[in-house]
Amino acid sequence: KVRKNWGAVIMASRKDKEALGAYIKNLREKKGFSLDQVCEGLCTSQQLSKLEKGEKAASKLLQDALLERLGVGAEDYEQYLSPEDYDRWEMRQRILHRIIWAQTEPARELLKEYYCRYAKDSEGSPWITDRLERQFCLSAWAQIRVLEKAPDKELGAIIDEAVGLTMPGPWEKPLKEQAFSFKELNLLLEAERYRRGGPLAKHYKEILSYMEASGADYLGMAKIYPKAAYLLCSSGPETTGETEEGLLRYCGHAIEILRNSMRLYYLWELLDLREQYLRRQPGISAQSGGGKRTQEIFKEKEGRETSLKFSNTPEGIPEEESDDSAYVYRITRAWKKVLETIYAEFQMPKATVSYCYLYTEKGVSCINDVVRIRRRMLGMSRKALCDGICDEKTLRRLERKETSPQRAVTVALFERLGLPGTLIHTELVTASPQARRLMAKLRWYDNNFETQKAEALLSQIRSLISADIRCNQQMLMQQEVNLQRLQKKTDNETYRRRLQEALELTLPLEVFLQKGEKYLTHQEQACIQNMMQGMDKESEEFWICMERFQEMYRPVAEGELLETVNGMYGFIMRYVQSELGNHGEYDRSDQYLQLLLKEDLRTYRMPSIARCLYARWWNYAQRRLEGIPTDRDLSGETELTNCILLSRLTKLTSNESFYKKELKLEKGK
C-alpha cells in the first residue's frame, strides 16, 4: 500500500514539473523564441530544455525570470515555497515595502542584512555569486539612493552594473532578436535615464517597439510601455526627432494602456505632458478645462459619437479614439486635477517614485505553514494526513519548520488537504496561455455587466482546461453562478447554496466559520465573499464570516507584507468595510477605507479608488443624517464628480452610470 501511494506521489510531482515545463515551452514557441534567446544571461540552453521537459526544476528566481522573459508577470500566481525560500522572499518584500513607503534608513539596514545573510559567498567575498540576487540588491540600492537624492553619476554606475549581470551588450543587436523580462527592460530604461551624456531617444523608441510586438499581457504592458513613453516624450521634439503630434500619440497610447490595466504607473506625468502639448495646439487655451467645465465634459462626451478600436494589448479591451483635441485637453486636465487632489489629501507624491511593483511578488505562502494550518483547520490528525505518504515524525518536523519537504511529499499532502496538487498555479490550473488571457477578458466583462460576452468567454475557457481538477471545477462553478446572478436568473438562496457547493469541492464552510488560524486559496476566499452577498445580512452566519475575514487579514494589515496580498485584501476588505458602514459602524469602515486608499496610491493601483471615495462620502453623509458629529467636511458634488472622473479613467462604465445617478440625487436635495 505504501509503495503504491509513493508511486502516485512521484507521478504527481513529475506531472507538476511537466505542466510548468509545458507551459513555458508553449509560451516560448508561440513567441517564436529559440532556447538560446530565452536563457541568455540566465542559464544554459540545456538547462532550459530539461526544465521544459519536466526533467529538472528551477529555482524560484530563475523560474520567475524565464516566465517574465516570456511575458508573464509573477503576480498572476499563487506559489508555495520551502521555509528557506520563503524567509528569503519575505525579507525581499519587507525591503520593497520600506522603499515604497520612503523609509530609507530602515530599507538600507534591511538590505544590508539581506546581503549579509543571503548574498555573500562562503568566503565573505563582496561579490554575489547569483546574478539574479545581485541584480535585485543593486536595483533596491538604486531606489534607496534615488530617495536620498544621490547624484546621477552614482545612480548610473549602480544601474549599469545591474544591467550587465543578465544583459551583456543589450544594444549590440536589435532588441527584437532578444528576450527580456519586465525587470530587465526597466533597468534598460533606468540606464538610459542616467546615461552619461544624456539618453538616446532611439533606445526609448526601440523599447516601445519591443513592447508593442511582445504580446505581453495587459499588466506587463502597463509596467513598461508608459514609463518608456514618458521618458521619450519628456525629452521633447528637438531631442527625439519626433513632431509634437508624434509624441502626443505615444502619450495617448500609454495613457490608454494604463486605463485598460487600471494602473497609475507614470499616469500623472503622462497626463501632464499631454496637457502641455495639447495646450500649444491652435484653438486650445489654458482656460479650456477644469472648474465649472467639469460637468460639461460629461455632457459633451455623451452627445457625440465615439469610434472604438482595439488596443494592441492581448486582451483586446476597447479604447476610445477621438479627434476632438479640445475634449481630450479638458478631460486630461480633469483627470490630472483629480489625481493631484487625492495625492495631496494623503500627502503622497504625485509622480512615480519607485519601481518596486516589478519586484513585489504576490500570493506566496510557506509550504510548512500551509500544511500545519490547513491540517488543524480540517481537524485532521497527523496520522490521518500522512498515512501512506510519510511517517508522523517527518510531518511533525515539517510543521515545526525543522525540515524542507520533498516536492513529492508536498504535492501528496496538498491534495489530501483539498489544495491544488501543484506548487505554482493561477486561478486556472492549465498549460494554456490562451485560457489565462481569456480569464482577464472575462473579469473585464463581469465588471461592466456585459454578461453575454462573459458567457461566451466562459464557454471558450471551459473547452481549454481540465474540469477534472477540483480548483478548475470550483472556478467554473463560481463564474457560472455569478453570471446567473448578474442576469437575474437566480435568487439569493439558490445563489448562496450553489456557491457553497463550489466552495466545498475543496473546503467545508463550517471549517471557515470556526475560530483559529486560517489558510484559504484565493478561489476559496472569493467563493465565501460572493456567498456573503446572498446571505441574510442579519444572520449569525454572515457576521461570523465578517469576523473571520477580519481576523485573517489583521496581522497582514499591521505588518510589512500588505503589498503581497493587496489585490485579494482589497477584494475582501472593500466588501467588509461596506457592510460595516451599512450597519452603522462608520468609524471601523473608515479605518479600512483609509488603509485601502493609501495602499492603492502607494502601489499605483486604480480599481478601487473611486469605490473607496464613494464609500467614505456615504459614511459621512449618513453621519450627517443621523446627527453624528464629524470633523470632516465633504462636498457631495465634489466627491461624486471625482468618482465619475475616476470611473471614466478606468473605463468602468457601469460604475460611472451609478455615480451619475447619485450626483443627480445629491443636486436635487
Side-chain angles (χ1 to χ4, degrees), residues 313-353:
T313 54
E315 286 66 32
I317 297 167
E319 54 184 38
E320 297 167 354
E321 190 174 45
S322 170
D323 58 1
D324 187 337
S325 296
Y327 168 75
V328 175
Y329 178 73
R330 285 191 286 274
I331 195 67
T332 296
R333 288 198 72 194
W335 284 336
K336 178 186 164 190
K337 182 179 177 182
V338 73
L339 289 178
E340 288 174 345
T341 300
I342 296 168
Y343 282 125
E345 179 182 348
F346 288 94
Q347 299 180 315
M348 292 187 182
K350 53 196 176 186
T352 306
V353 293

Side-chain angles (χ1 to χ4, degrees), residues 391-648:
D391 58 44
E392 289 186 60
K393 181 180 178 181
T394 298
L395 182 57
R396 188 177 295 108
R397 294 184 68 237
L398 185 155
E399 291 187 349
R400 292 175 180 170
K401 294 188 178 179
E402 295 171 356
T403 183
S404 293
Q406 293 182 10
R407 189 181 185 89
V409 170
T410 300
V411 169
L413 293 174
F414 271 28
E415 289 181 339
R416 192 163 286 177
L417 291 167
L419 299 170
T422 175
L423 302 188
I424 177 170
H425 65 88
T426 61
E427 60 195 314
L428 298 174
V429 178
T430 176
S432 168
Q434 184 185 0
R436 288 173 173 153
R437 289 175 183 267
L438 290 176
M439 275 303 301
K441 288 179 70 175
L442 178 62
R443 284 190 292 272
W444 177 273
Y445 290 134
D446 275 347
N447 287 337
N448 273 315
F449 301 99
E450 298 183 52
T451 55
Q452 287 186 329
K453 292 178 180 178
E455 207 165 27
L457 283 181
L458 185 59
S459 179
Q460 283 182 261
I461 292 168
R462 196 184 295 275
S463 69
L464 291 170
I465 66 175
S466 170
D468 294 332
I469 300 172
R470 278 187 291 175
C471 58
N472 284 353
Q473 291 177 40
Q474 196 171 63
M475 185 282 299
L476 291 169
M477 283 182 67
Q478 185 182 3
Q479 289 293 335
E480 183 181 286
V481 177
N482 284 339
L483 279 173
Q484 288 175 352
R485 183 177 174 85
L486 289 174
Q487 295 167 333
K488 303 188 187 312
K489 293 181 179 179
T490 186
D491 57 37
N492 277 349
E493 178 53 32
T494 305
Y495 176 73
R496 190 206 64 76
R497 178 177 51 78
R498 292 279 320 276
L499 282 171
Q500 184 169 343
E501 290 173 7
L503 171 69
E504 294 189 343
L505 287 170
T506 60
L507 182 76
L509 176 61
E510 64 182 29
V511 169
F512 175 72
L513 298 176
Q514 296 166 3
K515 288 185 177 182
E517 199 173 7
K518 300 282 189 298
Y519 174 79
L520 280 76
T521 65
H522 291 175
Q523 198 66 38
E524 289 168 343
Q525 293 180 59
C527 271
I528 296 169
Q529 193 259 37
N530 290 164
M531 278 177 64
M532 291 171 69
Q533 297 175 44
M535 290 179 184
D536 176 1
K537 302 302 186 292
E538 304 300 326
S539 68
E540 182 183 12
E541 182 181 62
F542 177 82
W543 284 100
I544 291 175
C545 288
M546 290 277 286
E547 187 57 36
R548 295 298 173 261
F549 274 131
Q550 291 177 81
E551 289 170 359
M552 273 182 60
Y553 280 111
R554 192 171 292 124
V556 180
E558 294 172 353
E560 294 184 325
L561 295 180
L562 186 53
E563 288 86 16
T564 69
V565 297
N566 60 5
M568 205 65 212
Y569 179 86
F571 175 72
I572 297 296
M573 299 312 293
R574 275 197 313 271
Y575 182 74
V576 169
Q577 70 74 23
S578 177
E579 290 302 326
L580 288 171
N582 288 341
H583 284 78
E585 296 191 42
Y586 306 124
D587 291 345
R588 286 179 69 195
S589 176
D590 280 350
Q591 287 172 5
Y592 285 123
L593 286 170
Q594 188 85 350
L595 181 60
L596 288 163
L597 279 164
K598 284 186 175 181
E599 182 65 18
D600 277 356
L601 291 171
R602 282 289 184 185
T603 55
Y604 309 108
R605 294 167 56 87
M606 279 196 284
S608 66
I609 293 176
R611 296 173 191 168
C612 288
L613 291 176
Y614 172 77
R616 186 182 67 167
W617 170 77
W618 189 91
N619 286 347
Y620 166 81
Q622 290 302 116
R623 285 188 180 97
R624 294 291 296 268
L625 281 173
E626 297 172 23
I628 300 173
T630 174
D631 57 1
R632 188 184 294 273
D633 185 18
L634 296 178
S635 161
E637 289 192 28
T638 300
E639 295 298 308
L640 290 166
T641 298
N642 287 344
C643 290
I644 293 168
L645 283 165
L646 289 166
S647 296
R648 177 159 296 174

Side-chain angles (χ1 to χ4, degrees), residues 176-222:
K176 65 182 180 181
E177 296 177 9
Q178 303 173 76
F180 291 134
S181 72
F182 307 136
K183 297 184 184 77
E184 290 171 319
L185 290 167
N186 173 72
L187 289 173
L188 288 179
L189 289 173
E190 289 293 306
E192 209 60 45
R193 187 203 292 248
Y194 298 113
R195 175 187 287 274
R196 188 175 300 177
L200 299 179
K202 66 178 183 179
H203 286 171
Y204 290 145
K205 291 179 186 179
E206 195 167 348
I207 290 174
L208 288 165
S209 297
Y210 180 93
M211 288 303 299
E212 287 175 343
S214 69
D217 60 16
Y218 69 109
L219 278 178
M221 287 292 287

Side-chain angles (χ1 to χ4, degrees), residues 4 12 44 75 82 191 244 336 372 383 430 439 624:
K4 181 179 179 181
T44 67
E75 67 183 63
S82 68
E244 287 198 352
K336 178 186 164 190
R372 173 181 53 80
K383 181 178 180 180
T430 176
M439 275 303 301
R624 294 291 296 268

Side-chain angles (χ1 to χ4, degrees), residues 361-395:
E361 298 174 59
K362 303 183 181 184
V364 175
S365 302
C366 176
I367 291 168
N368 305 53
D369 288 337
V370 170
V371 170
R372 173 181 53 80
I373 295 168
R374 192 80 170 191
R375 178 183 66 79
R376 291 177 179 175
M377 280 173 60
L378 294 169
M380 295 177 69
S381 67
R382 288 195 180 96
K383 181 178 180 180
L385 175 57
C386 69
D387 183 37
I389 298 173
C390 61
D391 58 44
E392 289 186 60
K393 181 180 178 181
T394 298
L395 182 57

Side-chain angles (χ1 to χ4, degrees), residues 288-307:
S288 295
K292 294 180 180 179
R293 285 289 300 152
T294 303
Q295 293 305 313
E296 280 72 14
I297 290 172
F298 302 128
K299 293 176 183 177
E300 285 176 14
K301 184 68 176 178
E302 289 160 358
R304 185 174 67 247
E305 289 294 322
T306 304
S307 62

